[in-house]
């Protein structure tokens, strides 16, 4: 259990807090594709652009974890920065 | 994308998978930068009734490092992975991993994470199912790490806490443990979330923290 796992938990907590404070009737319980689809179906009122953003974050997180398993420090920083951008975008969308 | 080999590990490799279990597939390659996730081979012969395939991509150089440092995942692969298809059997060439000396540190990190779950339930109550799932991971992985010092080596079963060979009884009932496991599967496999309340989960986490503390104390005495 090295840093990648704990970093992933931190990002998942951030994202889930954002969406679950907005869509309280049905919670998103994880960032797997299948969990995101289940959440969309059960909520019925998640907008497509929010769901797409969450999916993008999910993909970036997965890439972060893969990349962290190899020595690509520069690329890893870039990936993390992209993840932060998506999270900022999600914050902005959920404030609307 | 360089040499790519596929391995099965996890519950399917142990043949104790349940309905909907993920199929854990390790992809080992010489050049991970060149691997396109979308082009990985989903055709896993003879495994038609599995849940989603969860690909983990590792470069061979990273795996070599993990085997040299005795990472727990290296032990997992050494004990339970099986070659599926692809190029050379790269894992076979790595041999047995070095001793897993960092098990105490790993258990301590998981114990801290478990404490953070309790805090998070107060901070973000709407994430209760997710946090219950993290508590499951903490309990399972603490037991996996602690099991390294057992006579027959580490145990990677999802039920490792119940199988730990020491004098510390796991404090959760099977029902409580399943509740946490279902919460985890809700977030990873999209299963229906279990009905849980924060008061009960906090009680469960406190029991787990007490158990983890006793495991840590015991591990401190292990040579």
């Amino acid at each position: 259990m090295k840093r990648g796992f704990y970093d992933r938990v931190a990002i998942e907590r951030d994202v889930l807090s954002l969406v679950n404070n907005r869509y309280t009737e049905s919670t998103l319980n994880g960032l797997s594709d299948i969990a995101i689809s289940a959440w969309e179906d059960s909520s019925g009122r998640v907008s497509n652009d929010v769901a797409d953003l969450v999916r993008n974050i999910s993909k970036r997180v997965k890439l972060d974890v893969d990349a962290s398993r190899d020595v690509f420090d520069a690329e890893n920083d870039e990936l993390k920065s992209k993840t932060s951008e998506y999270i900022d975008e999600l914050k902005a969308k959920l404030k609307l | 994308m360089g040499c790519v080999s596929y391995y099965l590990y996890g519950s399917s490799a142990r043949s104790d998978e349940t309905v909907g279990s993920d199929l854990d597939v390790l992809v080992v390659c010489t050049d991970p930068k060149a691997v396109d996730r979308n082009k990985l081979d989903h055709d896993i012969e003879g495994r038609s009734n599995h849940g989603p395939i969860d690909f983990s991509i590792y470069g061979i150089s990273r795996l070599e490092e993990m085997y040299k440092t005795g990472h727990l995942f290296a032990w997992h692969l050494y004990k339970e992975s099986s070659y599926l298809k692809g190029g050379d059997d790269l894992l076979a060439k790595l041999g047995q991993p070095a001793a897993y000396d960092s098990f105490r540190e790993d258990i301590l990190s998981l114990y801290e994470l478990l404490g953070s779950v309790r805090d998070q339930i107060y901070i973000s109550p709407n994430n209760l199912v997710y946090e219950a799932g993290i508590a499951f991971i903490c309990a399972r992985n603490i037991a996996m790490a602690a099991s390294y010092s057992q006579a027959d080596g580490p145990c990677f079963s999802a039920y490792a806490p119940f199988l730990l060979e020491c004098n510390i009884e796991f404090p959760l009932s099977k029902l409580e443990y399943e509740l946490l496991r279902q919460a985890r599967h809700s977030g990873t496999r999209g299963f229906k979330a279990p009905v849980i309340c924060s008061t009960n989960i906090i009680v469960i986490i406190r029991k787990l923290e007490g158990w983890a503390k006793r495991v840590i104390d015991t591990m401190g005495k292990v040579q």
Side-chain angles (χ1 to χ4, degrees):
Chain A
M1 306 293 292
K2 300 300 177 194
R3 222 45 260 169
F5 168 72
Y6 296 95
D7 290 345
R8 182 177 183 142
V9 170
I11 294 170
E12 286 176 339
R13 280 174 167 165
D14 280 352
V15 174
L16 266 52
S17 294
L18 286 171
V19 298
N20 288 339
N21 287 338
R22 173 68 185 266
Y23 303 101
T24 51
E25 72 288 343
S26 176
T27 59
L28 175 62
N29 299 324
L31 288 186
S32 68
D33 281 348
I34 200 163
I36 295 167
S37 297
W39 167 64
E40 270 187 292
D41 291 345
S42 64
S43 168
R45 66 179 198 96
V46 178
S47 64
N48 287 341
D49 52 352
V50 167
D52 287 346
L53 257 180
V54 173
R55 281 203 173 83
N56 283 336
I57 293 169
S58 165
K59 279 181 197 151
R60 300 315 303 191
V61 171
K62 187 94 182 164
L63 280 171
D64 283 357
V65 172
D66 280 344
S68 73
R69 290 166 179 170
D70 283 280
V71 188
F72 304 133
D73 288 341
E75 289 177 23
N76 215 9
D77 287 347
E78 196 181 315
L79 287 171
K80 279 177 183 155
S81 147
K82 194 76 185 168
T83 307
S84 303
E85 282 173 29
Y86 280 134
I87 291 174
D88 287 343
E89 204 179 325
L90 181 65
K91 278 180 193 165
K93 275 215 187 308
L94 292 175
K95 274 182 189 166
L96 292 174
Chain B
M1 54 183 165
C3 177
V4 177
S5 302
Y6 293 78
Y7 296 82
L8 198 62
Y9 70 101
S11 60
S12 298
R14 280 192 306 274
S15 298
D16 69 355
E17 68 265 49
T18 53
V19 176
S21 284
D22 280 359
L23 196 65
D24 293 313
V25 175
L26 174 77
V27 181
V28 184
C29 49
T30 48
D31 183 9
K33 279 190 280 189
V35 172
D36 182 349
R37 276 195 162 268
N38 299 317
K39 291 182 180 166
L40 292 174
D41 191 347
H42 284 70
D43 179 23
I44 308 297
E45 291 171 24
R47 300 274 171 182
S48 55
N49 292 323
H50 57 74
I53 300 179
D54 186 13
F55 288 111
S56 293
I57 306 167
Y58 280 73
I60 188 65
S61 54
R62 174 69 180 121
L63 281 175
E64 274 171 352
E65 184 193 321
M66 292 169 85
Y67 271 63
K68 277 181 193 162
T69 56
H71 195 290
L72 189 58
F73 187 59
W75 277 98
H76 190 172
L77 297 177
Y78 176 69
K79 283 197 75 176
E80 295 189 343
S81 66
S82 59
Y83 176 80
L84 278 177
K85 55 166 46 175
D88 290 346
D89 184 355
L90 299 168
L91 286 191
K93 294 177 183 172
L94 296 178
Q96 179 175 312
Y100 172 44
D101 289 331
S102 63
F103 66 93
R104 292 180 192 84
E105 293 162 40
D106 288 352
I107 292 171
L108 274 172
S109 297
L110 288 160
Y111 174 66
E112 284 170 17
L113 182 62
L114 189 59
S116 78
V117 168
R118 183 170 29 79
D119 297 339
Q120 285 292 323
I121 289 173
Y122 292 114
I123 296 166
S124 301
N126 294 331
N127 290 355
L128 180 63
V129 174
Y130 173 80
E131 295 299 339
I134 295 296
F136 164 75
I137 294 291
C138 291
R140 186 197 65 182
N141 290 9
I142 285 171
M144 284 179 178
S147 69
Y148 175 75
S149 59
Q150 293 179 171
D152 53 355
C155 164
F156 296 103
S157 163
Y159 295 94
F162 294 97
L163 304 172
L164 201 54
E165 295 165 6
C166 65
N167 294 325
I168 306 162
E169 190 181 347
F170 188 57
L172 303 194
S173 67
K174 283 268 168 65
L175 207 64
E176 288 171 320
Y177 189 70
E178 276 304 321
L179 205 63
L180 301 183
R181 190 165 179 250
Q182 285 168 21
R184 180 63 182 171
H185 289 172
S186 172
T188 54
R189 301 179 188 174
F191 290 180
K192 189 173 166 49
V195 177
I196 52 178
C197 79
S198 57
T199 311
N200 285 351
I201 298 299
I202 296 281
V203 169
I204 286 173
I205 289 165
R206 287 200 186 283
K207 285 199 256 185
L208 285 176
E209 285 183 289
W211 165 77
K213 186 73 176 65
R214 289 193 293 279
V215 171
I216 290 165
D217 291 344
T218 304
M219 289 298 112
K221 294 167 194 159
V222 172
Q223 294 303 306

